[in-house]
């Protein structure tokens, strides 16, 4: 891993894996406005994309969006990244709440109903244990066979106060030594990264790898290049060309392990990425103070 000394990730524990896998998967990209939405009506458009263990449902609401889940198998995520929507109502097992703009909600399995009114973005995250959702993904064919090097999905502990809706504001001030704004539940870890303004300083890039989990980077504002490089093993037939992919928002990339990767903001205005991991990351959890809701979802991996 290569991080600038000012990057909080420079203090992460180094990986203990040194061997190079024999097979690699490619990255999965989607610039949403370049493809037809999976679902569309007069009030909204929704694109579904997936990774090995998760599905992202990205919606642009023009007037209203209604969404229901009956007998959902596990905990899922409702993310409202902006503040332009008039109202987002969430009902779960008879409990009714309003999810404010710039908030993230973790919703237990069971029956849930969402109504978003106004104009703005809504993101939902599900594990691929919900096979009906996974089948909607635009790239579902890519995962007809499991991608190599990704560890199987194993859920983490449920909330300490039992199954209920948990809502957290994304408006958390930046803090020296902490990386982004990280929240987790039993199924996902979501890092709503600190926004940047203007292009990234290319003398302070952050190429790094993950041994056994995918990273999904969802761009909800701004403009990015994603740079990805695969290691060379002994079998030249498995070598891949470097990727340098331009992905204006709204867009997402699923980065496979153990590819070297880094993202470069190139937009002149605000650039906002959301990093998604399923299940949560151990290394981020081990950093004291990084997971902002760790008291609600305690883990054996937390720093004590």
């Amino acid at each position: 891993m290569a991080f600038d000394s000012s990057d909080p990730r420079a203090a992460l524990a180094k990986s203990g894996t040194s061997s190079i896998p024999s097979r690699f998967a490619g990255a999965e990209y989607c610039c949403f406005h370049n493809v037809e939405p999976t679902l569309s009506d007069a009030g909204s458009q929704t694109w579904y994309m997936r990774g090995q263990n998760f599905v992202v449902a990205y919606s642009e609401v023009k007037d209203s969006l209604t969404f229901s889940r009956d007998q959902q198998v596990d905990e899922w995520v409702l993310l409202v990244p902006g503040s332009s929507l008039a109202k987002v109502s969430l009902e779960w097992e008879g409990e009714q709440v309003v999810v404010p703009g710039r908030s993230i909600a973790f919703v237990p399995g069971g029956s849930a109903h969402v109504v978003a009114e106004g104009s703005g973005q809504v993101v939902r995250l599900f594990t691929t244990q919900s096979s009906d959702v996974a089948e909607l993904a635009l790239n579902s064919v890519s995962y007809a066979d499991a991608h190599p090097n990704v560890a199987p999905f194993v859920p983490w502990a449920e909330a300490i106060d039992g199954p209920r809706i948990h809502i957290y504001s994304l408006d958390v001030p930046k803090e020296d030594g902490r990386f982004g704004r990280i929240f987790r539940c039993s199924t996902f870890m979501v890092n709503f990264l600190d926004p940047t303004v203007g292009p990234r300083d290319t003398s302070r890039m952050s190429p790094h790898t993950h041994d056994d989990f995918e990273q999904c980077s969802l761009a909800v504002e701004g403009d990015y290049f994603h740079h990805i490089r695969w290691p060379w093993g002994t079998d030249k037939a498995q070598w891949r060309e470097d990727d340098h992919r331009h992905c204006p928002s709204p867009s997402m990339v699923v980065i496979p392990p153990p590819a070297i990767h880094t993202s470069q903001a190139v937009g002149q205005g605000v650039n906002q990425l959301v990093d998604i991991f399923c299940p949560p990351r151990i290394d981020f959890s081990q950093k004291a103070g990084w997971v902002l809701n760790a008291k609600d979802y305690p883990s054996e991996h937390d720093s004590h």
Side-chain angles (χ1 to χ4, degrees):
M1 295 188 288
F3 296 114
D4 182 82
S5 59
S6 63
D7 192 313
R9 291 172 294 177
L12 289 173
K14 301 299 187 290
S15 167
T17 301
S18 58
S19 61
I20 298 176
S22 60
R23 295 191 304 122
F24 305 96
E28 301 285 323
Y29 297 96
C30 187
C31 295
F32 296 120
H33 288 173
N34 290 347
V35 295
E36 290 295 318
T38 311
L39 301 174
S40 180
D41 57 33
S44 64
Q45 294 181 318
T46 300
W47 292 260
Y48 286 79
M49 283 285 291
R50 65 166 291 182
Q52 181 78 13
N53 295 329
F54 62 88
V55 183
V56 176
Y58 170 81
S59 297
E60 293 188 347
V61 185
K62 295 177 287 185
D63 178 49
S64 65
L65 167 71
T66 300
F67 174 80
S68 295
R69 292 295 291 168
D70 293 321
Q71 300 179 346
Q72 169 65 23
V73 296
D74 54 12
E75 197 165 24
W76 59 281
V77 181
L78 176 64
L79 175 68
V80 184
S83 56
S84 63
L85 284 163
K87 185 178 181 181
V88 179
S89 302
L90 168 62
E91 179 181 350
W92 171 78
E93 299 291 345
E95 177 185 357
Q96 296 183 352
V97 298
V98 172
V99 181
R102 297 186 58 76
S103 294
I104 187 169
F106 297 128
V107 188
S111 298
H113 184 71
V114 176
V115 178
E117 302 172 54
S119 177
Q121 299 170 318
V122 174
V123 180
R124 287 154 288 153
L125 310 176
F126 302 93
T127 75
T128 49
Q129 302 300 303
S130 294
S131 58
D132 61 319
V133 179
E135 290 170 0
L136 293 173
L138 295 169
N139 63 334
S140 60
V141 172
S142 178
Y143 288 89
D145 295 318
H147 284 199
N149 312 318
V150 181
F153 171 74
V154 178
W156 283 31
E158 296 181 351
I160 195 169
D161 55 353
R164 68 172 183 85
I165 299 170
H166 292 82
I167 301 175
Y168 306 97
S169 172
L170 300 171
D171 288 324
V172 178
K174 187 174 181 178
E175 182 178 305
D176 289 342
R178 192 189 72 221
F179 183 55
R181 291 163 284 184
I182 301 173
F183 302 89
R184 73 169 182 234
C185 65
S186 63
T187 51
F188 282 92
M189 175 176 281
V190 178
N191 189 357
F192 198 80
L193 293 161
D194 296 310
T196 61
V197 178
R200 183 173 185 175
D201 181 352
T202 56
S203 70
R204 300 174 65 182
M205 302 298 286
S206 55
H208 61 284
T209 66
H210 306 306
D211 288 338
D212 62 358
F213 60 86
E214 294 174 319
Q215 174 177 316
C216 174
S217 288
L218 173 69
V220 295
E221 189 172 3
D223 201 354
Y224 288 86
F225 266 91
H226 299 293
H227 304 287
I228 304 178
R229 168 172 288 181
W230 285 260
W232 287 1
T234 56
D235 184 358
K236 187 173 183 295
Q238 298 296 324
W239 293 4
R240 287 180 172 269
E241 295 291 332
D242 291 354
D243 264 359
H244 302 281
R245 192 71 63 97
H246 182 211
C247 294
S249 65
S251 62
M252 64 173 273
V253 57
V254 180
I255 302 164
I260 303 167
H261 59 280
T262 188
S263 295
Q264 177 188 355
V266 295
Q268 294 298 320
V270 174
N271 299 287
Q272 177 70 70
L273 270 185
V274 183
D275 283 348
I276 299 161
F277 307 96
C278 177
R281 289 179 62 159
I282 293 175
D283 56 351
F284 280 7
S285 296
Q286 289 173 332
K287 299 295 291 182
W290 279 29
V291 179
L292 297 172
N293 67 332
K295 290 184 178 179
D296 293 338
Y297 288 86
S299 163
E300 61 181 330
H301 304 295
D302 292 343
S303 175
H304 298 290

